[in-house]
């Protein structure tokens, strides 16, 4: 395992200079876009990039345009030194850590709006979120021009929005989506987990427990989405102060609600615990 801190560049010009040699040598370039506060979930993406590519770039940029006015932009964890140490441990070749002004230069006026898959679920709860995500991801793809870009399934809808954007705009990149990484007790890893007090961290297990409950109900032959969602809600509401944004049982390609579970189905949920908004999901195949 390499323990060399990756080279860090902050400007697009430096980034392109570093990538020129790799590209000239015919190296396959992998990009892992992140907002920092790295955890095992991110590192699994870096490892996937390392395994399939010859040169791995990780971007660390807390993208202001994907946060709503009352969201956690200012308190979002910024842990650059620790992030670089973790990236060293998995052999990242280059870290791209731009400033806000480098990404959104004065006069920036172009935005990417993705259609129907960006509308429900997170799109409804966080208006403008996917416009910010799609715009920054397209910019990062244009800056790095990777062969492959890696995203986590925990942000299932985000990955779908990015796939749709890349396909619709003919971006020459392969989008890879890697499985959710969970703590030993099942909580999906997230940079926002660090906001939770120890007691709230325990209560947050209701997200995973409710997904497991849904899995059991389907395995026992349950097909009625309303009954399954009701049981999930009931379980989540046993956690003191849990506030449900949505429990959705939907088609995994269109994100439209399904009436009964007949084929591959996505169950996605967003719940606030102690004011921290957590999301999780699972794909079921009856
Ligand atoms: O998933 C994230 O961390 C962010 O939404 C992303 C893809 C890095 C864009 O800012």
């Amino acid at each position: 395992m390499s323990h060399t801190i990756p080279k860090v560049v902050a400007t697009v010009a430096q980034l392109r200079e570093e990538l020129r040699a790799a590209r000239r040598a015919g190296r396959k370039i992998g990009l892992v876009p992140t907002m920092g506060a790295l955890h095992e979930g991110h590192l699994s993406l870096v490892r996937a990039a390392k395994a399939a590519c010859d040169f791995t770039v990780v971007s660390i940029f807390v993208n202001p345009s994907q946060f709503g006015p009352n969201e956690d932009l200012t308190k979002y964890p910024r842990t650059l030194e620790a992030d670089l140490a973790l990236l060293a441990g998995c052999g990242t070749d280059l870290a791209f850590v731009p400033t806000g002004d480098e990404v959104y230069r004065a006069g920036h006026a172009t935005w990417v709006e993705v259609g129907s898959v960006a509308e429900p679920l997170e799109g409804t709860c966080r208006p403008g979120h996917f416009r910010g995500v799609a715009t920054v991801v397209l910019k990062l793809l244009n800056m790095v021009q990777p062969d492959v870009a890696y995203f986590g399934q925990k942000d299932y809808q985000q990955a779908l929005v990015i796939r749709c954007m890349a396909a619709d705009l003919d971006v020459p990149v392969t989008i890879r989506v890697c499985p959710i990484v969970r703590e030993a007790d099942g909580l999906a890893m997230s940079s926002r987990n660090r906001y939770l007090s120890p007691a709230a961290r325990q209560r947050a297990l209701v997200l995973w427990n409710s997904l497991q409950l849904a899995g059991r109900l389907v395995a026992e032959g349950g097909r009625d989405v309303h009954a399954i969602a009701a049981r999930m809600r009931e379980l989540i509401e046993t956690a003191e102060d849990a506030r449900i944004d949505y429990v959705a049982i939907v088609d995994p390609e269109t994100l439209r609600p399904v009436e009964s579970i007949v084929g591959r189905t996505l169950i996605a949920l967003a719940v606030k615990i102690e004011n921290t908004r957590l999301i999780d999901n699972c794909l079921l195949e009856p």
Side-chain angles (χ1 to χ4, degrees):
M1 190 194 281
S2 151
H3 286 283
T4 317
I5 296 284
K7 179 153 194 181
V8 180
V9 294
T11 68
V12 178
Q14 290 166 330
L15 172 74
R16 293 206 165 127
E17 182 57 36
E18 291 296 327
L19 287 168
R20 203 163 293 136
R23 203 163 275 123
R24 228 185 348 242
R27 295 167 88 183
K28 185 170 170 183
I29 296 169
L31 169 66
V32 181
T34 80
M35 298 206 299
L38 302 183
H39 51 67
E40 264 308 308
H42 298 109
L43 300 187
S44 73
L45 305 181
V46 178
R47 289 190 199 105
K50 275 299 279 179
C53 302
D54 312 304
F55 192 89
T56 301
V57 183
V58 176
S59 62
I60 299 180
F61 177 62
V62 182
N63 173 36
S65 72
Q66 69 187 74
F67 288 79
N70 300 318
E71 294 185 7
D72 55 343
L73 173 62
T74 50
K75 78 164 188 177
Y76 197 83
R78 284 149 172 98
T79 57
L80 184 58
E81 257 180 55
D83 291 348
L84 293 177
L86 288 171
L87 292 180
C90 36
T92 307
D93 296 292
L94 188 65
F96 176 46
V97 188
T99 60
D101 290 344
E102 182 68 12
V103 175
Y104 296 104
R105 286 181 291 277
H108 177 96
T110 305
W111 299 96
V112 181
E113 293 275 359
V114 176
S116 60
V117 292
E119 284 161 13
L121 313 181
E122 294 299 291
T124 307
C125 297
R126 304 183 66 189
H129 171 66
F130 285 127
R131 176 186 195 252
V133 169
T135 302
V136 84
V137 171
L138 180 60
K139 285 172 72 64
L140 291 166
L141 293 174
N142 284 335
M143 290 168 184
V144 177
Q145 300 186 337
D147 297 280
V148 191
Y150 293 82
F151 299 89
Q153 193 196 303
K154 192 181 75 71
D155 294 293
Y156 184 98
Q157 188 177 13
Q158 166 173 283
L160 200 60
V161 165
I162 290 166
R163 267 189 202 285
C164 178
M165 179 270 288
D168 288 352
L169 300 181
D170 301 301
V171 185
V173 67
T174 300
I175 303 295
R176 288 256 179 277
V177 181
C178 299
I180 298 178
V181 179
R182 298 184 180 281
E183 303 282 358
D185 59 9
L187 183 68
M189 291 205 183
S190 162
S191 304
R192 290 185 168 99
N193 289 352
R194 63 186 83 194
Y195 297 151
L196 297 166
S197 67
R201 161 74 183 70
Q202 258 328 96
R203 297 201 293 282
L205 286 177
V206 284
L207 278 86
W208 171 233
N209 291 342
S210 71
L211 289 171
Q212 283 192 304
L213 170 65
R216 279 197 305 276
L217 293 172
V218 173
E220 286 160 11
R223 295 290 178 265
D224 176 349
V225 294
H226 302 290
I228 294 169
R231 291 282 304 277
M232 290 177 70
R233 285 176 164 275
E234 214 176 279
L235 175 61
I236 295 167
E237 280 159 2
T238 61
E240 182 199 320
D241 83 359
R243 279 178 292 140
I244 299 174
D245 269 357
Y246 58 80
V247 171
I249 305 186
V250 296
D251 178 293
E253 302 304 323
T254 63
L255 304 185
R256 289 206 196 97
V258 292
E259 272 311 307
S260 105
I261 299 189
V262 283
R264 240 170 122 247
T265 304
L266 175 75
I267 308 199
L269 64 165
V271 179
K272 279 200 192 98
I273 305 272
E274 201 183 52
N275 282 328
T276 295
R277 190 170 181 281
L278 301 171
I279 59 172
D280 201 347
N281 68 79
C282 71
L283 275 169
L284 292 180
E285 202 115 26

